[in-house]
Amino acid sequence: MSTCMPTFRHGVHPPECKETASAEVIRIPWPDKVIVLLSQHTGAPAKAIVKKRQDVARGEMIAEAGGFVSVPMHAPIAGQVKSVDLALNPRGELSPAIEIIRDPDQDPESVRGSFQDIDSLEGDALVEAVQNTGAVGLGGAAFPTHVKMKVPAGRKIEAVVVNGCECEPYLTTDYRVMMEQANQIIAGIQIAMKATKAPKAIIAIENNKPAAVDAMMAAVPEGAPITVCSLATKYPQGAEKMLSTALLGREVPSGGLPSDVGMACFNVATLAQLGELLPSGRGLIERVITVAGGGVERPGNYMVPLGTPLRHIMEFVGIRPDARKIINGGPMMGTSVASLDVPLTKGTSGLLVLRDDEIRTGRLNVYPCIRCARCVDACPVFLNPSDMGLLARNSRHEEKAESYHLYDCIECGCCSYVCPSNIPLVQYFRIGKAMLRERSAAK
Ligand code: SF4
Ligand code: SF4
């Protein structure tokens, strides 16, 4: 069934710009090489288990998990390892990576994997099997999926929440996955329910996607404890904490986890991949991304091998001469692309190629805070971005963290979006968190 549920308080309504919603997913031409970063998820980097000049099959594990909060990497194409070395990551830093040169004589579709009987997997064995797929949150967070399935001792999961909100403007990846892979999503939901022992699942979709609501409702098996909920369209409705408030009426406590309120939350595309990978004993080697924005000639939704250099994707979709900026992710939470030589990662949900008129040119000057409180009214987790911004300018990061709960900031960008003074608040908070992490690592 589908119901209209209450939403969370605060948030913003940016223009949706979802022109690629009707674009079916198509595969881009195979790249000549891929660069598989060993750290493209939250947690410890994977450890390479292949050497230079080693031949690898598509789907073969090439790096093992570096701990429990870590996932392995699999070869996205068949070919030969050119190097195990440092490569540029999307943040513009050098990071360990495996470069593979494609073998043009091999069938590019052929993939390694063998049937796995999911029914026989229980508890830790099921969680380990999920880890072996290399699955991480494909909504952008790239948090290892198996970690969410390992319920902390003493906790009980009351509901698996399936996040199909996709509230970032421009992105239509999750929408297309719901339209085209509804059955795989249901298979993934059943795995998540089994692993977490959740008695029910709720598929949450914003009410600007009625066709996706219909597609998912049609895919739910008769009598299954899975409901589809149509939520109010508001940014950031797809954030875990907002979903918990909207669907369960419970707020994740400061510094807490969704499991504190009985929820395990997974992105729809993650579950679609899992529903396909786990039974076939395969690893995550590709993903769907949206390429959009006025600066791209062929916007759409594309299936792309992980590790594909962004330059290859851009050559295929075509960049218009008036393109000004490329963003990795959506406009609210995405980051500028440092170089077209960086590879696609598991967390890349979209690439936006924006023209001058799509960027807030002419409003780029930063003015002093006028204490209008618009940012306070927009913040969905009830922080005080205005005061935090003033502290950030004076590098008082510890004070921000202790007295203003900096770590509760979900980096949604609502505050920056509404600020009439163009203060880059969310960037301040990201920098503040990074500096505090560095300081604590140096101690
Ligand atoms: S302070 Fe953080 S959570 Fe609040 S609106 Fe700004 S970015 Fe979002
Ligand atoms: S929205 Fe901008 S100008 Fe207004 S209070 Fe917040 S930081 Fe200050």
Side-chain angles (χ1 to χ4, degrees):
M1 71 180 271
S2 171
T3 46
C4 250
M5 303 288 291
T7 184
F8 61 96
R9 286 172 56 200
H10 294 183
V12 296
H13 292 92
E16 292 173 18
C17 307
K18 299 207 182 243
E19 284 82 15
T20 54
S22 58
E24 289 182 14
V25 177
I26 60 168
R27 181 178 286 288
I28 69 160
W30 294 94
D32 294 334
K33 69 170 183 181
V34 293
I35 303 158
V36 182
L37 293 169
L38 299 186
S39 184
Q40 44 181 303
H41 55 265
T42 307
K47 294 178 188 163
I49 55 171
V50 290
K51 293 195 170 66
K52 191 174 170 178
R53 282 193 278 279
Q54 182 174 332
D55 291 329
V56 291
R58 179 169 176 245
E60 179 180 342
M61 189 184 289
I62 54 174
E64 62 189 13
F68 179 65
V69 187
S70 181
V71 293
M73 304 293 168
H74 302 79
I77 53 174
Q80 191 174 75
V81 175
K82 183 183 175 199
S83 66
V84 182
D85 205 344
L86 297 176
L88 213 55
N89 70 19
R91 290 187 302 277
E93 304 156 344
L94 288 172
S95 177
I98 298 169
E99 183 172 340
I100 302 170
I101 304 296
R102 185 168 65 87
D103 179 351
D105 295 332
Q106 293 210 39
D107 173 10
E109 299 283 347
S110 172
V111 58
R112 182 167 289 190
S114 53
F115 170 76
Q116 190 161 238
D117 179 14
I118 306 176
D119 292 341
S120 67
L121 295 170
E122 301 280 348
D124 285 350
L126 178 56
V127 172
E128 191 183 333
V130 172
Q131 182 178 21
N132 287 339
T133 66
V136 303
L138 299 181
F143 191 80
T145 303
H146 69 282
V147 179
K148 289 188 176 185
M149 291 187 177
K150 175 96 180 156
V151 182
R155 301 273 165 75
K156 202 171 160 208
I157 299 299
E158 290 169 31
V160 160
V161 168
V162 185
N163 185 357
C165 287
E166 198 166 47
C167 54
E168 269 271 10
Y170 290 92
L171 301 186
T172 56
T173 304
D174 291 347
Y175 177 74
R176 286 316 313 173
V177 168
M178 287 189 279
M179 297 297 289
E180 298 177 39
Q181 299 179 33
N183 291 333
Q184 289 97 314
I185 294 171
I186 297 296
I189 292 172
Q190 287 163 338
I191 294 166
M193 290 174 71
K194 185 177 180 187
T196 59
K197 297 190 172 63
K200 65 177 182 181
I202 307 168
I203 305 171
I205 305 172
E206 284 188 311
N207 61 8
N208 60 348
K209 305 175 189 73
V213 171
D214 291 345
M216 291 313 306
M217 284 176 69
V220 174
E222 188 78 31
I226 303 172
T227 51
V228 181
C229 286
S230 173
L231 297 180
T233 299
K234 185 163 68 166
Y235 181 85
Q237 184 71 81
E240 278 187 347
K241 289 183 178 182
M242 294 4 339
L243 284 172
S244 153
T245 307
L247 291 168
L248 308 179
R250 296 179 205 152
E251 281 184 17
V252 178
S254 175
L257 295 168
S259 61
D260 293 336
V261 294
M263 178 178 99
C265 186
F266 303 91
N267 161 269
V268 276
T270 310
L271 292 182
Q273 277 285 353
L274 192 64
E276 196 165 325
L277 296 176
L278 201 63
S280 58
R282 291 182 184 169
L284 182 64
I285 53 173
E286 59 192 11
R287 66 159 300 155
V288 179
I289 63 166
T290 299
V291 185
V296 64
E297 283 171 359
R298 283 183 296 284
N301 289 295
Y302 299 103
M303 181 68 83
V304 187
L306 296 170
T308 299
L310 302 192
R311 187 179 306 283
H312 177 78
I313 302 170
M314 289 302 144
E315 280 168 2
F316 175 67
V317 298
I319 301 182
R320 293 167 57 102
D322 54 352
R324 166 89 180 268
K325 189 172 192 174
I326 301 179
I327 293 175
N328 188 333
M332 299 297 285
M333 294 189 73
T335 51
S336 289
V337 168
S339 156
L340 286 182
D341 294 324
V342 304
L344 183 87
T345 67
K346 294 181 180 184
T348 306
S349 47
L351 294 169
L352 304 186
V353 185
L354 302 178
R355 295 186 313 243
D356 267 351
D357 58 316
E358 294 172 296
I359 305 168
R360 292 195 298 178
T361 46
R363 290 190 60 201
L364 291 181
N365 289 339
V366 176
Y367 300 100
C369 172
I370 55 170
R371 311 297 283 174
C372 65
R374 285 193 203 175
C375 55
V376 179
D377 287 340
C379 181
V381 287
F382 303 100
L383 300 177
N384 186 332
S386 161
D387 281 357
M388 283 164 52
L390 289 175
L391 292 174
R393 290 195 70 159
N394 296 313
S395 300
R396 287 158 65 184
H397 302 303
E398 275 84 2
E399 203 174 327
K400 264 191 308 183
E402 279 164 28
S403 307
Y404 289 83
H405 306 284
L406 174 66
Y407 286 110
D408 284 337
C409 168
I410 58 171
E411 300 178 17
C412 65
C414 288
C415 50
S416 306
Y417 179 75
V418 298
C419 179
S421 293
N422 300 327
I423 301 172
L425 294 160
V426 68
Q427 284 84 354
Y428 285 171
F429 307 149
R430 280 187 191 141
I431 292 167
K433 285 186 194 177
M435 292 186 79
L436 287 174
R437 273 196 296 271
E438 259 178 40
R439 280 180 205 169
S440 92
K443 278 181 190 165

